[in-house]
Structure formats: structure tokens, C-alpha cells
Amino acid sequence: DAKTTQPPSMDCAEGRAANLPCNHSTISGNEYVYWYRQIHSQGPQYIIHGLKNNETNEMASLIITEDRKSSTLILPHATLRDTAVYYCIVRVSQAGTALIFGKGTTLSVSS
Amino acid sequence: GAVVSQHPSWVICKSGTSVKIECRSLDFQATTMFWYRQFPKQSLMLMATSNEGSKATYEQGVEKDKFLINHASLTLSTLTVTSAHPEDSSFYICSASHPVGGYEQYFGPGTRLTVT
């Protein structure tokens, strides 16, 4: 069973920030929040992950609520190439632990 | 860095034949690799976990005698679909667990298998 809940789809205008929410109310203390995206007919791409602090890299920012029950992935300036399915996944950070994918959010960026 | 390749990128085979798909981590060593399958308009489904030098662990409902996995080195895992049938047609994706940092999984580009 999926441990996360995401809206099935979202729209965003090119150049605007895309804020993708994720609920993970049953997250355990040792589980991280990972975000991946999959562009059509390609393998998933790692975006970012975090435990409890907010994180930022060259692709996105991850905001995790203080109670860790939800998070938001922020793409600061969405482009058409950001159109993809975005997956929020909770997982312990161990070598042999697989990512289990839910249905994700289909983000459509339009001009 | 953290590049994973797959070969072939697409393959068409006849029903009853076997097909081998290779997954390589190009710039890091991966003790653990994973194999997923994805049907059209569906999410990725984990098939098995592959550990270097040991037998793979298959998810419930995945036939281990049909989907043979070999992880002979720290940079190569192979998936062989034996006696393929049209219902095995799918997008097969591998990933490798990076040993440094948060054990992020890096994915290959996928292999499109069509069985006729």
C-alpha cells in the first residue's frame, strides 16, 4: 500500500513556481522523503530528498512540515521540460531498500 | 556522475524466445540493484531486488523461473525474460543504489520489450 498521497494532476504556467504537495501522515522517524520524476518513456530521475529539514538543490526545494506528515516540492521557475509525473516516496535510507512507487502527480507545464 | 545504462533500449522478440536485458552502473559500484516493470499509463512496479553475489529477492507474484536475475559484478545486473509471451511486453527499468550519501537510487533509461 502506498504510504503517500498526491493529487493526480496539476497545471502550471511556464516561468511560475510549481508547488507539488504530498501527504505522508504515517511516516516513521527513520524514513526519508524522496522525490523523483519520470518524463514520458524514460527512467525516473532523482530530484531531492530530506529527513526533517528543508532542502534545496539546483533542481528544486523540499519543504517538510514540522510534524513531518506532509511536504511540498517546489520547482521555482517551471519550464515546459518539467512536464512529467512526480513521485513522492518515503523510505528508510538503507542500501537494500527499494523505492515503492505510488501513482504520483502528473504536472503539466504550459506556455 | 551516478549514471546507469541499460541495453538494449528496445527489443522485439517472438513468443517463446528468451531476452536478456543488461543494467550497468557506469561511474559507481552498486551492491544492490532493482528491477521494475511498467505497463502503459501505470506506475512502476518493483519486480525484484538484486544483490551482488547472491540470489535475487523477488516480489510476490513475480515468477523467479521466468524472470532470471544475475548480479555477477558490482556494476552489472542482468534480467532474462525466459519463454516470453505477449503479456510480458512492457517497459523494464533497472536502478542502482548509490553507496554514498542517502543511498539514492539512480535509474536506467528503460528497455521497451515487445513480444509478438
Side-chain angles (χ1 to χ4, degrees), chain B residues 71-91:
Chain B
H71 193 159
S73 77
L74 290 172
T75 60
L76 173 64
S77 177
T78 60
L79 169 68
T80 301
V81 183
T82 63
S83 187
H85 292 286
E87 56 265 31
D88 298 323
S89 298
S90 188
F91 192 49

Side-chain angles (χ1 to χ4, degrees), chain B residues 16-72:
Chain B
T17 62
S18 295
V19 174
K20 179 184 285 187
I21 302 170
E22 292 185 349
C23 175
R24 295 181 184 273
S25 55
L26 299 184
D27 51 2
F28 65 99
Q29 294 183 330
T31 56
T32 305
M33 292 184 174
F34 305 92
W35 287 94
Y36 294 81
R37 180 168 54 180
Q38 186 175 33
F39 293 107
K41 299 187 183 299
Q42 294 186 22
S43 187
L44 285 79
M45 183 178 68
L46 178 67
M47 298 177 67
T49 299
S50 169
N51 292 297
E52 187 265 339
S54 64
K55 291 184 178 180
T57 302
Y58 292 82
E59 295 299 301
Q60 190 172 9
V62 177
E63 300 175 59
K64 62 181 181 181
D65 294 330
K66 182 172 184 60
F67 299 99
L68 302 180
I69 293 173
N70 183 276
H71 193 159

